[in-house]
Amino acid sequence: MTIKNIEKELVPLKLKLINHKLYNKINNSKKLCVFMQTHVFAVWDFMSLLKKLQQNLTCTNIPWKPSKNSLNARLINEIVLGEETDLNKKGLILSHFEMYLNAMTQIGANTQHIRRFISKIDSEINIKEHINSSNIPEYIKEFLNFTFNIINSNKNHEIAAVFTFGREDLIPDMFLKIVKKINSSKKINCDNLIYYLERHIEMDSEEHGPMALKMIKTLCGNDNNKWEEALKCSKDALIHRVKLWDNIEKSLN
């Protein structure tokens, strides 16, 4: 199996997301707020996928020792650099998650749910217990639990597959729909969000996407079982994203 095989298998699910009815429903600032208040959880858990890969593919321990694969270490470190410490519209260094929170604040979206959720997280917490006991909708819990099940599997090729095909490879096409919808509406003033979305489209399509695909190839190598597992996880990731979009659309109705 190859990258092209996986991409071909994922086309029907990707088209479901790219052509989802949700985008047409985001036609005023109130509905955009509702969307962002849910989507921010996916922006947050993306960083945990990213940091798990950095932990596994580089050395973050003391004393330091060389990583097993310098190429993968370089690829993931470059992606982390852009996602965790990018420049915002004003030239300030921020993570993309923090940029998203700022965009939420600009349009009047409620950031208290996600801030409260994160404030209770520490190194000792059982993340699944925290998710399931939190006062957030069940469909968000389901989405987050899938992400952390993949992270807890500790299988680099599966984590990288969900990171790549469920996020990096998908985001440019998906976000382009949102940008077009927002730009076509004169009722929504959200230049911080536009910057965030366009920045993601630029970085993921030109830099992070190709890097992540290269990482997948290296991690799966000639092991067909790993390729099959990568495909299954990627399909599951897209299915969970479709469910998340379906539920956000229902909430907008």
Side-chain angles (χ1 to χ4, degrees):
M1 189 178 289
T2 65
I3 291 289
K4 289 190 181 298
N5 295 134
I6 292 182
E7 289 176 332
K8 185 177 179 181
E9 288 279 342
L10 296 181
V11 166
L13 285 168
K14 285 186 70 175
L15 288 176
K16 268 190 178 182
L17 282 164
I18 294 168
N19 298 316
H20 202 283
K21 294 178 181 178
L22 170 64
Y23 311 117
N24 288 328
K25 298 284 179 69
I26 306 173
N27 53 16
N28 59 49
S29 58
K30 184 177 179 180
K31 290 182 178 180
L32 180 59
C33 286
V34 173
F35 169 78
M36 294 183 75
Q37 285 161 194
T38 297
H39 180 240
V40 67
F41 285 89
V43 177
W44 170 76
D45 79 339
F46 167 84
M47 292 301 297
S48 292
L49 285 166
L50 175 64
K51 298 301 282 187
K52 182 64 174 179
L53 286 170
Q54 188 181 36
Q55 282 183 358
N56 287 358
L57 300 179
T58 70
C59 181
T60 57
N61 299 321
I62 304 297
W64 177 87
K65 61 181 181 180
S67 59
K68 293 179 181 179
N69 187 302
S70 296
L71 173 60
N72 281 338
R74 172 65 179 260
L75 291 171
I76 198 64
N77 278 335
E78 287 200 22
I79 295 174
V80 169
L81 175 66
E83 296 289 346
E84 195 172 34
T85 54
D86 199 9
L87 298 177
N88 74 356
K89 193 178 179 185
K90 296 180 180 179
L92 300 176
I93 298 172
L94 286 177
S95 67
H96 285 180
F97 173 74
E98 291 166 301
M99 289 185 201
Y100 198 86
L101 287 181
N102 288 345
M104 289 177 71
T105 300
Q106 182 185 42
I107 68 165
N110 187 337
T111 63
Q112 291 307 305
H113 297 301
I114 185 66
R115 290 185 189 277
R116 215 166 24 237
F117 180 86
I118 292 175
S119 70
K120 297 177 181 178
I121 295 174
D122 59 41
S123 59
E124 302 299 320
I125 200 168
N126 181 311
I127 188 61
K128 294 200 74 176
E129 288 181 7
H130 177 54
I131 291 168
N132 294 326
S133 65
S134 294
N135 186 25
I136 55 177
E138 287 300 319
Y139 58 86
I140 298 180
K141 292 179 182 180
E142 184 180 346
F143 186 87
L144 296 178
N145 277 322
F146 169 75
T147 299
F148 283 95
N149 283 339
I150 293 297
I151 289 170
N152 292 334
S153 75
N154 209 34
K155 293 183 177 181
N156 291 332
H157 60 287
E158 290 190 358
I159 300 167
V162 170
F163 175 82
T164 303
F165 296 111
R167 306 296 179 100
E168 291 293 288
D169 187 54
L170 174 69
I171 284 172
D173 288 333
M174 192 171 64
F175 277 8
L176 191 60
K177 289 275 185 179
I178 298 173
V179 169
K180 285 181 177 179
K181 183 63 184 177
I182 293 172
N183 279 336
S184 68
S185 174
K186 296 179 181 178
K187 301 176 183 177
I188 303 174
N189 179 24
C190 49
D191 56 306
N192 283 344
L193 179 60
I194 292 291
Y195 178 85
Y196 166 87
L197 296 175
E198 289 182 340
R199 184 74 177 134
H200 252 292
I201 292 168
E202 176 189 357
M203 292 183 75
D204 291 344
S205 60
E206 296 179 10
E207 300 172 28
H208 294 178
M211 287 180 188
L213 291 172
K214 191 179 290 185
M215 187 166 56
I216 287 279
K217 290 179 184 177
T218 308
L219 290 171
C220 290
N222 296 318
D223 189 329
N224 200 51
N225 286 334
K226 286 185 177 180
W227 282 107
E228 291 291 345
E229 288 175 345
L231 173 59
K232 183 182 183 305
C233 288
S234 301
K235 283 184 175 179
D236 289 343
L238 295 186
I239 288 168
H240 278 84
R241 176 74 77 159
V242 170
K243 286 182 180 178
L244 186 68
W245 262 210
D246 288 345
N247 281 289
I248 298 175
E249 186 199 353
K250 287 177 185 176
S251 69
L252 294 180
N253 291 333

